[in-house]
Amino acid sequence: MTSTILSKYKKKILYLLIIVSIFSFVNTISKSLVNGCDFQWHPSVLLWEGINHYQKFIANGGRGDFLCQNGEYAHLLHVLYYPFTLYEWEKARFLWLATNIFFVFSIPILICKFLKLSTYKTILLILIFITCYPTRMTMNYGQQSLFVMFFMMLPFILNFKISNFFAGFSYVKYSSGYVVFLNFLANKEYKKFLLSIIPYLIGWIIYFTFTKSDAITNFFEPIQLSLGKGYVRDADIFSLLNIYLLSSKTLAVKLIFIILIFIFNFLLLIKINKNKDIFLKMSLIMICPLIFFPHSNYDYILLFPLLCYSLKNIEYLINKINIYFVIYFFYFNRIVKHLLDIDFIYQPISLIFLILLLFTNIYSYKIKNNLYIFNFKII
């Protein structure tokens, strides 16, 4: 009965959603015009003034000296931001907002085109993406998450060698982009891996040359800055280890645990790559950073590919579960978190659900005799 009503009025419902989404998006833009503090403009300005911002911020206890721009990203990001450094903060912030708007629409459009979704589903997914809290938070804070996600997707959805090169742009954010190069290695795609690290190395060379820094020392300074400032959350494995086990340990000990996490993630990626569906593979790979390394609410945009895939194959039970799960993280996670106000319990539970979601999807597809677990479909 309910499905019949929805089918009958789906166009009118869509029109209503479009109107609501436009108002929501305009509100997001208006807030972004007066915030955007996470946009890493100032560290980039320092670079092009010949100042090594990593050294400066490390000496300052891991803190930046302009808004919340702490510069804990890879060298390449600050090199790429050169055009923005030609403008004062207010104008640069506006230009970065315009760039984020480009990513907000190009990401769902590229995905929907790859999946060959209907116009109705494409519009619906675009509306979800522009109104969900992770996207709005990314734009409001001037975050780099949309930028990173866009380049993380390219080697999966564009069948061009150059897409592997541009995938290296995602490495600017260590807590997310790492999974792309790790996946190249897990899948034994060594040529793609070598091609993808070229932008990273170019960014590093330009940085230490322009700031007259020691090359080897400068190579490790972004990691030193990131770990030194103690950036942790409480809904991922590294943060939980840091809170309960590593808080008083040296940088060397923390690096050892990071290597162990990389190894476990590497083994998990080998398992994920056994799936032949390239888009599902990408969707599951993008969940990994949310499990293993610190992230904020805006990083949950990485769940969007799984939502798209599930909507395309909604006839299966596991995909219905996926949709409910992603919608919860897109619209309700932050509300529930603040209402309960017991992060030390709620966040680890969220991590457990993410782990269950990942492993359920890994094991819910084709196995022996062409049976499908959780899909309830037999070929």
Side-chain angles (χ1 to χ4, degrees):
M1 179 69 178
T2 305
S3 59
T4 305
I5 294 173
L6 289 175
S7 177
K8 183 178 180 181
Y9 295 103
K10 72 175 187 177
K11 283 189 177 181
K12 292 182 180 180
I13 293 172
L14 185 63
Y15 293 147
L16 177 62
L17 290 175
I18 290 173
I19 294 171
V20 173
S21 298
I22 289 173
F23 279 106
S24 172
F25 195 61
V26 169
N27 179 257
T28 299
I29 291 174
S30 65
K31 290 180 178 179
S32 304
L33 288 171
V34 295
N35 194 350
C37 67
D38 279 346
F39 169 44
Q40 300 295 308
W41 170 81
H42 185 61
S44 304
V45 170
L46 292 176
L47 160 62
W48 296 107
E49 290 177 351
I51 300 171
N52 184 328
H53 83 275
Y54 298 115
Q55 291 180 0
K56 183 178 182 181
F57 293 174
I58 289 170
N60 195 34
R63 296 184 300 275
D65 49 15
F66 183 78
L67 300 178
C68 48
Q69 299 172 27
N70 296 319
E72 62 268 47
Y73 293 82
H75 316 87
L76 177 62
L77 183 72
H78 308 296
V79 172
L80 292 174
Y81 278 1
Y82 172 72
F84 298 104
T85 66
L86 301 176
Y87 302 95
E88 295 298 319
W89 165 243
E90 294 295 336
K91 190 166 186 179
R93 177 173 59 183
F94 172 79
L95 292 173
W96 179 243
L97 172 60
T99 305
N100 263 338
I101 291 174
F102 165 78
F103 289 131
V104 163
F105 287 97
S106 61
I107 287 172
I109 289 172
L110 280 173
I111 288 175
C112 292
K113 185 177 180 180
F114 179 85
L115 291 175
K116 298 179 181 179
L117 294 177
S118 66
T119 302
Y120 181 87
K121 287 185 177 179
T122 298
I123 294 174
L124 182 62
L125 285 167
I126 291 173
L127 297 181
I128 291 173
F129 196 61
I130 69 174
T131 59
C132 69
Y133 184 74
T135 298
R136 291 188 291 116
M137 188 177 180
T138 296
M139 294 181 64
N140 186 14
Y141 287 2
Q143 256 290 330
Q144 282 69 219
S145 296
L146 290 165
F147 170 92
V148 172
M149 180 180 175
F150 179 84
F151 290 105
M152 286 175 72
M153 295 188 332
L154 293 188
F156 298 98
I157 64 175
L158 295 181
N159 191 25
F160 301 108
K161 286 185 179 179
I162 195 67
S163 65
N164 299 312
F165 173 86
F166 284 111
F169 284 26
S170 68
Y171 301 167
V172 300
K173 186 171 182 176
Y174 297 112
S175 60
S176 299
Y178 81 91
V179 78
V180 177
F181 80 74
L182 199 62
N183 184 66
F184 284 146
L185 296 176
N187 209 28
K188 299 180 181 179
E189 297 173 318
Y190 303 122
K191 289 183 179 179
K192 292 181 179 180
F193 166 74
L194 292 173
L195 190 60
S196 73
I197 64 173
I198 291 174
Y200 187 94
L201 295 176
I202 290 174
W204 166 55
I205 292 169
I206 292 174
Y207 194 101
F208 77 71
T209 301
F210 209 82
T211 60
K212 296 180 174 60
S213 303
D214 178 77
I216 303 303
T217 301
N218 182 240
F219 186 84
F220 295 101
E221 282 174 339
I223 299 293
Q224 184 183 353
L225 176 61
S226 298
L227 293 178
K229 66 173 290 192
Y231 178 71
V232 295
R233 288 294 186 260
D234 45 14
D236 62 273
I237 291 172
F238 176 76
S239 291
L240 290 176
L241 285 172
N242 204 58
I243 292 170
Y244 296 109
L245 186 63
L246 305 176
S247 58
S248 59
K249 302 297 181 181
T250 63
L251 181 61
V253 174
K254 291 181 179 180
L255 285 174
I256 290 172
F257 274 87
I258 288 175
I259 292 170
L260 291 174
I261 291 173
F262 267 107
I263 292 171
F264 185 77
N265 198 165
F266 179 83
L267 296 174
L268 186 58
L269 288 171
I270 292 175
K271 185 67 179 177
I272 292 173
N273 274 284
K274 290 181 180 179
N275 195 305
K276 301 304 179 184
D277 188 319
I278 190 168
F279 195 87
L280 176 60
K281 189 190 305 183
M282 179 189 78
S283 302
L284 301 183
I285 288 169
M286 285 193 172
I287 297 176
C288 291
L290 302 175
I291 292 173
F292 290 104
F293 288 103
H295 58 273
S296 287
N297 285 321
Y298 41 72
D299 291 310
Y300 286 116
I301 59 171
L302 295 175
L303 293 172
F304 184 68
L306 183 63
L307 175 65
C308 298
Y309 178 86
S310 300
L311 189 62
K312 177 180 173 64
N313 303 281
I314 198 171
E315 65 272 19
Y316 299 121
L317 175 60
I318 181 61
N319 292 328
K320 290 182 174 69
I321 294 172
N322 289 340
I323 290 172
Y324 287 124
F325 181 89
V326 177
I327 292 299
Y328 172 79
F329 270 90
F330 274 11
Y331 292 102
F332 303 105
N333 177 53
R334 182 170 175 267
I335 297 172
V336 174
K337 176 184 173 182
H338 285 294
L339 286 175
L340 294 178
D341 196 26
I342 46 174
D343 279 5
F344 71 97
I345 295 177
Y346 178 74
Q347 295 290 55
I349 290 175
S350 297
L351 172 61
I352 292 171
F353 277 119
L354 276 170
I355 294 172
L356 288 174
L357 180 79
L358 178 59
F359 278 91
T360 302
N361 276 276
I362 289 174
Y363 289 103
S364 67
Y365 287 85
K366 200 170 186 181
I367 58 173
K368 291 180 180 179
N369 302 319
N370 291 323
L371 294 174
Y372 283 75
I373 299 176
F374 288 101
N375 286 350
F376 296 120
K377 182 176 180 178
I378 301 178
I379 297 177

